[in-house]
């Protein structure tokens, strides 16, 4: 299985820029996708294929990377962005990272 | 618009089975793929398997072979997942999601399954 590693938690102030990282145990080309999940809700697709903004997602969200290292950036962060963010790869079956919980100061 | 409506929460006894449903609307179900996922609250998401509604063909995560069985009813645009021989380790929220090119833009709201005697 391709293992995706994310830092468990981050805390930022509203208006700041935050970068959430995801490292794959093997190369996944550009087949990395990002989701936002709030408590009690289903995941919401933010970014697909590393850098493509999903429909209806604000341009404050962006993605970058290829191979094994990927980043989701939120700039500027807003209060409503409090959530857990998951990366998911689709190069070798489908696996998800452990999630990064974003909290606002 | 695309909608995936999942069945309600289930409380089941160890050793029993449960069948979850995912009723769809807003797109052509009969030529689409549906995936199912498991998420223990506070933890990550696991892909269970996928089914093609056109012919019922399936693919499973090796971990869930023998545990989950995916089926569809194209007449009602509904996907189903049977979970068998339930243990407390199967207690989780289960999601369905329309499957496109490897990412998942449309998800059901999730069904909580609690396995307890």
């Amino acid at each position: 299985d391709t293992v995706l590693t994310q830092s468990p938690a981050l805390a930022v102030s509203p208006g700041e820029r935050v970068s959430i990282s995801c490292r794959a145990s093997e190369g996944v080309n550009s087949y990395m996708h990002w989701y936002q999940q709030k408590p009690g809700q289903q995941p919401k697709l933010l970014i697909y294929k590393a850098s493509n903004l999903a429909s209806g997602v604000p341009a404050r969200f962006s993605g970058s990377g290829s191979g094994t290292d990927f980043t989701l950036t939120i700039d500027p962060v807003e209060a409503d962005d409090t959530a857990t963010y998951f990366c998911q790869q689709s190069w070798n079956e489908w696996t998800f990272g452990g999630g990064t919980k974003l909290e606002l100061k | 618009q695309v909608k995936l409506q999942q069945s309600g929460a289930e409380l089941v006894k160890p050793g029993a089975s449960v069948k979850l449903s995912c009723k769809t609307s807003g797109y052509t179900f009969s030529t689409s793929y549906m995936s199912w996922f498991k998420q223990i609250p506070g933890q990550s998401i696991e892909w269970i398997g996928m089914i093609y509604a056109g012919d019922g063909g399936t693919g499973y995560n090796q971990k869930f072979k023998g545990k989950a069985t995916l089926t569809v009813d194209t007449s009602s645009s509904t996907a189903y997942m049977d979970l068998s021989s339930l243990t407390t380790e199967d207690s989780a929220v289960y999601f369905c999601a329309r499957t496109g090119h490897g990412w998942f833009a449309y998800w059901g709201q999730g069904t909580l399954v609690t396995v307890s005697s």
Side-chain angles (χ1 to χ4, degrees):
Chain A
D1 285 4
T2 302
V3 177
L4 304 181
T5 302
Q6 299 182 244
S7 52
L10 287 171
V12 298
S13 298
E16 291 185 344
R17 170 189 170 116
V18 65
S19 293
I20 299 170
S21 65
C22 177
R23 174 164 287 177
S25 60
E26 56 189 332
V28 299
N29 202 312
S30 62
Y31 289 88
M32 186 67 77
H33 324 295
W34 291 93
Y35 301 83
Q36 176 193 67
Q37 188 179 34
K38 297 182 179 180
Q41 296 185 16
Q42 66 269 52
K44 174 186 176 182
L45 178 69
L46 299 175
I47 300 288
Y48 63 94
K49 282 199 72 179
S51 61
N52 297 278
L53 197 65
S55 177
V57 175
R60 302 185 291 105
F61 293 87
S62 62
S64 63
S66 66
T68 60
D69 291 293
F70 296 85
T71 302
L72 171 71
T73 300
I74 311 172
D75 186 15
V77 172
E78 295 183 357
D80 188 52
D81 298 334
T82 298
T84 299
Y85 293 84
F86 292 96
C87 54
Q88 174 243 325
Q89 64 82 24
S90 59
W91 182 250
N92 177 17
E93 288 202 344
W94 297 322
T95 56
F96 289 78
T100 297
K101 187 172 185 179
L102 180 66
E103 297 180 339
L104 269 62
K105 297 177 185 175
Chain B
Q1 72 276 31
V2 176
K3 288 186 179 180
L4 283 68
Q5 182 66 39
Q6 296 188 237
S7 47
E10 299 273 3
L11 173 61
V12 293
K13 295 189 184 306
S17 298
V18 69
K19 188 170 188 174
L20 310 183
S21 67
C22 174
K23 183 169 178 56
T24 73
S25 60
Y27 69 100
T28 305
F29 178 78
S30 60
T31 57
S32 69
Y33 293 83
M34 185 72 75
S35 286
W36 290 83
F37 300 86
K38 175 184 180 181
Q39 185 177 35
I40 296 172
Q43 297 189 21
S44 187
I45 302 166
E46 293 181 280
W47 174 69
I48 295 171
M50 177 181 67
I51 185 165
Y52 177 57
D55 61 8
T58 56
Y60 293 93
N61 181 337
Q62 185 69 29
K63 177 179 176 180
F64 292 96
K65 285 185 178 178
K67 170 62 65 179
T69 302
L70 306 183
T71 57
V72 294
D73 177 359
T74 54
S75 68
S76 63
S77 299
T78 303
Y80 297 93
M81 178 171 68
D82 270 292
L83 297 170
S84 63
S85 303
L86 291 165
T87 72
T88 55
E89 294 185 352
D90 297 315
S91 294
V93 177
Y94 292 87
F95 293 99
C96 59
R98 180 183 170 188
T99 305
H101 301 284
W103 55 90
F104 307 97
Y106 301 99
W107 295 71
Q109 82 278 20
T111 296
L112 175 64
V113 175
T114 304
V115 183
S116 174
S117 55

